[in-house]
Amino acid sequence: MANEARPCPCDIGHRIEYGGLGHEVQVEHIKAYLTKSPVDAGKAVIVIQDIFGWQLPNTRYMADMIAGNGYTTIVPDFFVGQEPWHPSGDWSTFPEWLKTRDARRIDKEVDAVLKYLKQRCHAKKIGVVGFCWGGVAVHHVMMKYPEFRAGVSIYGIIKDSEDVYNLKNPTLFIFAENDAVIPLEQVSLLTQKLKENCKVEYQIKTFSGQTHGFVHRKREDCSPEDKPYIDEARRSLLEWLHKYV
């Protein structure tokens, strides 16, 4: 997700080759990738895409990882058929592209997916995880939808305003220390404001030496020094879901 005040590139990193364990379904007006948990515990997680779209293998890999830990997962197409950002796209056109893909205007899609999970998947406890663009979306829905028992926002941040700290339920924020998209000053401001205003549990974790996209768009075997941070971030994500969903 580009910082709205200062658009800059969001590198796709390592696009993995991955077929997926789930299958595609139609949820009212949108398509989605659904993976059933091996254990039906009545728990589900909505996984929200980054700017590269709902079909990015990396995001489906993360959804399947979450599913393997006891949650039915669904990756809806929150761009509703519009083209995702292409890795070779002209970044000067990115702000215009983003105007028709507002991460805070997804309520119609969220409502449809919640209904699907409750009626078709018999989900009684629901969480939400999002990456980059999806991290901003998670922050939005955690302020609006009390039925989300927990949220994990991964390198997504909302510009400062008075209403972005009123979280309804526990939310974990994961950031990278060397993120060219999200300056550490923004993370510090978020930390300060949540401490002053937030009434529910939250946690902010910043991973040293890491860059934007490290949790889902950096291969675990790319460098030995990065692997412990990737593993810890993914473990933190799952622990947060296990604790609150």
Side-chain angles (χ1 to χ4, degrees):
M1 170 71 188
N3 177 1
E4 289 165 311
R6 184 175 55 86
C8 65
C10 175
D11 180 21
I12 195 169
H14 301 126
R15 179 190 172 101
I16 64 171
E17 295 300 321
Y18 180 70
L21 301 175
H23 63 281
E24 294 185 4
V25 296
Q26 189 72 35
V27 180
E28 295 187 14
H29 63 294
I30 52 176
K31 292 181 178 179
Y33 173 77
L34 179 74
T35 306
K36 293 289 186 73
S37 167
V39 181
D40 184 10
K43 298 180 178 182
V45 173
I46 299 174
V47 178
I48 306 183
Q49 71 212 42
D50 59 18
I51 61 172
F52 300 108
W54 71 294
Q55 293 177 311
L56 184 72
N58 306 53
T59 305
R60 295 187 173 194
Y61 175 83
M62 295 299 297
D64 288 352
M65 181 197 77
I66 295 168
N69 282 271
Y71 308 87
T72 290
T73 57
I74 190 164
V75 186
D77 176 15
F78 279 102
F79 293 165
V80 197
Q82 294 185 97
E83 286 295 312
W85 183 255
H86 195 275
S88 61
D90 178 359
W91 283 102
S92 68
T93 67
F94 183 77
E96 193 64 31
W97 176 90
L98 197 60
K99 285 180 183 177
T100 58
R101 297 160 181 83
D102 190 335
R104 292 177 290 278
R105 293 184 179 176
I106 58 170
D107 294 0
K108 181 180 178 183
E109 289 68 50
V110 170
D111 292 341
V113 175
L114 284 173
K115 181 181 175 184
Y116 181 91
L117 288 174
K118 292 172 184 177
Q119 294 184 356
R120 300 286 294 275
C121 303
H122 313 293
K124 299 196 169 37
K125 299 176 180 179
I126 302 173
V128 60
V129 173
F131 304 91
C132 180
W133 185 93
V136 176
V138 166
H139 197 151
H140 165 73
V141 300
M142 290 308 293
M143 293 188 301
K144 182 157 186 178
Y145 289 87
E147 54 257 71
F148 285 110
R149 298 213 172 190
V152 183
S153 172
I154 303 170
Y155 25 81
I157 201 162
I158 294 180
K159 61 185 177 182
D160 182 39
S161 66
E162 289 306 310
D163 64 347
V164 299
Y165 311 108
N166 187 27
L167 300 169
K168 302 290 186 190
N169 275 313
T171 307
L172 169 65
F173 297 89
I174 291 176
F175 295 106
E177 180 187 35
N178 297 331
D179 194 326
V181 181
I182 303 168
L184 285 179
E185 298 80 49
Q186 286 191 10
V187 179
S188 298
L189 180 61
L190 177 67
T191 305
Q192 175 193 330
K193 294 285 191 175
L194 285 174
K195 188 175 182 180
E196 293 171 358
N197 300 287
C198 190
K199 303 292 193 294
V200 299
E201 290 294 316
Y202 68 89
Q203 188 176 6
I204 295 173
K205 298 191 79 169
T206 302
F207 287 80
S208 62
Q210 296 307 298
T211 55
H212 191 81
F214 80 99
V215 180
H216 78 303
R217 294 205 306 259
K218 184 179 280 189
R219 281 173 44 179
E220 296 99 323
D221 60 353
C222 61
S223 62
E225 61 268 25
D226 288 327
K227 190 176 188 312
Y229 296 108
I230 298 169
D231 290 344
E232 184 188 345
R234 293 178 179 180
R235 190 166 55 248
S236 297
L237 180 164
L238 291 170
E239 287 172 353
W240 194 263
L241 294 175
H242 289 334
K243 185 174 182 180
Y244 294 109
V245 176

